[in-house]
Amino acid sequence: MRKLIILLLSVVVLGLAGCSSKPENTDTKNTPTPTPIATSTPEATKKPETTPTPEATDKTEDQTGIVLTDTYIVGTFIEKSETYPTTISFKEDGTFTSNVNVCSGMLDVTGTYTLEGDTVSLSIPNETGIYYLDHDQPFKFIVTKDSLKHKTDEAFSCADVGDYLPKE
């Protein structure tokens, strides 16, 4: 029985050691990466393809659904990616929710943000089990009413596009 338990634990450890959230990381630390459980299906986050109408192309900043002041943001941005785009929703109270593409699926995370000038910094206080989300914080973006763009090389989404548009 003991040999069976040791064998099962070895298989689990080897399976976790083979998984990687961010393959380009050349860090030599041997930190096990737990396998995340996707909390939503990627298909649910896909945006349906539509042909823009003339009214949709003549939007003003007030019609983007994004409220941006000196101290807070309200609204949702969606990553410019064809497959499994990450969404980030900001609230006036300084919190955000996000459905993040973490390579092995989509993961819902919550956290806080700070806004300083045109830079918004995202922090995730609870461990997610995804190495880069837990250790590459804070994630910094340049924010306007029309876009959200990565400010540094630390990618928030596995798609690593770095550009987000207001969600319609």
Side-chain angles (χ1 to χ4, degrees):
M1 183 67 163
R2 183 176 178 181
K3 289 182 181 180
L4 182 61
I5 292 173
I6 290 173
L7 179 64
L8 287 173
L9 288 174
S10 298
V11 170
V12 169
V13 168
L14 288 174
L16 290 175
C19 295
S20 175
S21 320
K22 198 170 185 180
E24 65 274 1
N25 188 358
T26 58
D27 196 357
T28 58
K29 295 179 190 173
N30 289 332
T31 306
T33 304
T35 304
I37 298 172
T39 57
S40 68
T41 61
E43 288 78 22
T45 61
K46 277 192 171 181
K47 185 176 167 183
E49 293 184 28
T50 58
T51 305
T53 61
E55 297 84 23
T57 57
D58 295 330
K59 288 188 174 186
T60 62
E61 285 187 357
D62 294 333
Q63 294 174 329
T64 63
I66 304 297
V67 176
L68 179 61
T69 72
D70 291 340
T71 56
Y72 67 86
I73 310 167
V74 175
T76 300
F77 290 91
I78 187 165
E79 188 173 29
K80 286 173 56 175
S81 173
E82 293 295 318
T83 55
Y84 315 123
T86 294
T87 59
I88 306 171
S89 297
F90 296 96
K91 298 177 185 167
E92 187 175 345
D93 65 358
T95 62
F96 75 92
T97 58
S98 182
N99 192 8
V100 183
N101 178 341
V102 292
C103 297
S104 59
M106 301 298 284
L107 181 68
D108 288 328
V109 296
T110 59
T112 59
Y113 71 88
T114 56
L115 181 61
E116 294 180 21
D118 68 347
T119 301
V120 63
S121 301
L122 307 182
S123 296
I124 305 166
N126 299 324
E127 290 287 321
T128 65
I130 306 298
Y131 183 82
Y132 80 93
L133 285 179
D134 295 335
H135 295 91
D136 291 347
Q137 297 185 50
F139 296 96
K140 295 185 183 234
F141 296 89
I142 297 171
V143 64
T144 68
K145 285 185 177 185
D146 299 321
S147 70
L148 184 69
K149 296 179 189 252
H150 283 289
K151 189 170 185 172
T152 64
D153 290 334
E154 301 299 334
F156 183 65
S157 164
C158 190
D160 201 16
V161 173
D163 292 325
Y164 298 76
L165 295 174
K167 187 173 180 179
E168 297 175 10

